[in-house]
Amino acid sequence: MNNHEEQHGSGKLEKDIQTDFSKSMSYGDYLHLDKILESQHRCSDHHDEMLFIIIHQASELWMKLILHEVQAATLSIRNNDLEPSFKMLARVSRIQQQLIQSWSVLSTLTPAEYMGFRDALGSSSGFQSHQNRLIEFAMGNKNVHTLSVFKHQTELYTQMLQALNEPGLYDAAIGALAARGLPIDQEALDRDWSQSYQPNASVEEAWLTVYRDVDQYWDLYELAEKLVDIGSQQQFWRFNHMTTVERIIGNKMGTGGSSGVNYLKRALDQQFFPELWSMRTKL
């Protein structure tokens, strides 16, 4: 669908270009652009607050797509249908690149400019992004205490609690290892899903088997590399987040009450899919 058709040198539209949308759906109708483009409401009169709003709104749209793909990929893996998940997870890593790049746009905001509207943000903070929290949950980083900021939204809190107590993407991958006959400890297959994933020696050994016999386990090998892609991209996103925040506010507290940069630095220590990294040393 090309909605940016070029005009002829005469200025006239091509004769077949539709111009009457009184009874049919237009580009704006399909995308609900009236709602999207009317959703940027500055809380101050500062010019640069528009940048701040749009960066975060666009990021939330990309996160929505990540969740759409990750949830479908997880279901595909749990159904022992690995190949469709590869395309979905490859798409996730490309989306993550968009999110990583967005920090470079936000970094054009100087400390002086941000301080011009920071007080208008009140207690709102990226820490309260439920979609980013759901992505972290899906990737194995779970913490029941993070749900407290959503208690005022009953429906959302229920959704978050359900995600906390469900197996995530990596749990599905470990299940796929077991389904192929690779020995996995029961405690890794039937654990408390509400807890962050902890490394397991049998899982590491299973991945080592996969990497040592790629021809026999090509699909599991491909799955592993897709997971490494999105795990590393998520760490890049976290790192760029931290450095952008440090560039703009230094070591000030976050608007939501967190320690700001120090909190983001600690988050970098939380690694995704740990055995896929540790087994590289032993391979």
Side-chain angles (χ1 to χ4, degrees), residues 118-147:
R118 187 179 195 243
D119 288 345
L121 304 180
S123 297
S124 63
S125 165
F127 181 82
Q128 299 145 18
S129 168
H130 78 277
Q131 291 197 125
N132 184 51
R133 191 64 56 195
L134 286 173
I135 291 169
E136 294 267 334
F137 281 5
M139 295 176 67
N141 179 26
K142 294 184 176 181
N143 185 340
V144 66
H145 301 295
T146 60
L147 297 189

Side-chain angles (χ1 to χ4, degrees), residues 4 30 41 54 69 97 102 124 137 166 168 225 249 261:
H4 303 283
Y30 175 67
H41 305 289
I54 289 177
E69 300 295 341
Q97 290 171 17
S102 72
S124 63
F137 281 5
E166 288 179 343
E225 285 299 296
I249 69 168
V261 168

Side-chain angles (χ1 to χ4, degrees), residues 137-191:
F137 281 5
M139 295 176 67
N141 179 26
K142 294 184 176 181
N143 185 340
V144 66
H145 301 295
T146 60
L147 297 189
S148 59
V149 298
F150 306 107
K151 280 189 174 179
H152 66 293
Q153 297 169 283
T154 305
E155 186 176 340
L156 181 57
Y157 181 80
T158 301
Q159 177 190 352
M160 300 290 291
L161 193 61
Q162 180 179 343
L164 182 79
N165 287 283
E166 288 179 343
L169 174 62
Y170 194 48
D171 298 308
I174 293 171
L177 291 171
R180 289 290 291 276
L182 294 165
I184 302 293
D185 292 343
Q186 190 60 32
E187 64 187 39
L189 296 171
D190 186 19
R191 63 185 188 85

